[in-house]
Amino acid sequence: DLVEGLSETWLPGTTPHSKRLYQHLDLPAPFDDRHWAIRVQNTQPLHAATTGKAWERVWAIDPAGQGALNELPASFLSAPNAPNPAEALWTPVNEGGWTLVPAAGGVIVVYQVRTDIGGNIPDELVLQYALSTLDDLIEHVGELAARAPSHYRAGHYDIVRPDGARVPAW
């Protein structure tokens, strides 16, 4: 739900320490949809250097590459309005991260991403599209943060810190 038109599902091998995701982006006509598989991880050095205050979560294309398409859950592919991976172009580069740093009265959130979406779309058009979705992305992240106390309760899958310790549920 982070960006309109983005569908995703977890892939086998996801653990509390490392998430594997397949993501499919439905682009407006006349452009072909794009898809990719990424591995998402918390990084330990920043967490350790700040005695647990700052967190960084990074992602990059999954080492399985396009082979990850063979691991898509049947339930995802057969869901109503499911994306069709056969009609999407593979995104060869997708890497980035979120960094969270405590600040007086809140948290500074830093978001960075580098991508090559493949195909024959001018870079300027890709940049304009990405920037047009940024406000919605940041707004949605704020909504998720506000909802966390009522969502992350007993019975939720574990969320772990970069050092491997479980984040206690509310």
Side-chain angles (χ1 to χ4, degrees):
D1 294 353
L2 288 179
V3 175
E4 186 177 342
L6 182 69
S7 302
E8 70 178 18
T9 188
W10 289 12
L11 294 171
T14 291
T15 70
H17 302 284
S18 178
K19 186 186 296 186
R20 293 183 68 219
L21 290 172
Y22 167 78
Q23 296 182 319
H24 184 280
L25 183 60
D26 181 22
L27 291 177
F31 304 109
D32 291 322
D33 294 350
R34 298 300 196 268
H35 65 165
W36 55 90
I38 56 174
R39 183 174 300 267
V40 184
Q41 307 182 173
N42 290 333
T43 59
Q44 294 181 356
L46 178 64
H47 189 260
T50 61
T51 59
K53 292 184 178 91
W55 287 35
E56 182 180 49
R57 192 164 175 91
V58 298
W59 68 85
I61 291 291
D62 190 275
Q66 293 185 52
L69 299 175
N70 299 323
E71 302 177 65
L72 288 171
S75 59
F76 174 75
L77 295 171
S78 64
N81 301 317
N84 184 350
E87 295 178 358
L89 293 179
W90 182 257
T91 299
V93 177
N94 186 330
E95 58 190 30
W98 293 91
T99 304
L100 308 174
V101 181
V107 175
I108 295 172
V109 178
V110 180
Y111 172 73
Q112 55 93 16
V113 65
R114 185 177 80 88
T115 188
D116 173 352
I117 66 166
N120 206 10
I121 302 176
D123 290 343
E124 182 63 29
L125 194 54
V126 173
L127 179 60
Q128 286 177 7
Y129 177 77
L131 290 174
S132 76
T133 65
L134 190 57
D135 286 344
D136 287 343
L137 173 70
I138 298 301
E139 182 179 331
H140 191 73
V141 167
E143 290 168 0
L144 289 173
R147 193 173 75 201
S150 63
H151 176 79
Y152 186 52
R153 300 231 174 236
H156 192 282
Y157 66 86
D158 286 349
I159 296 176
V160 298
R161 294 183 173 104
D163 61 6
R166 181 181 181 275
V167 174
W170 267 274

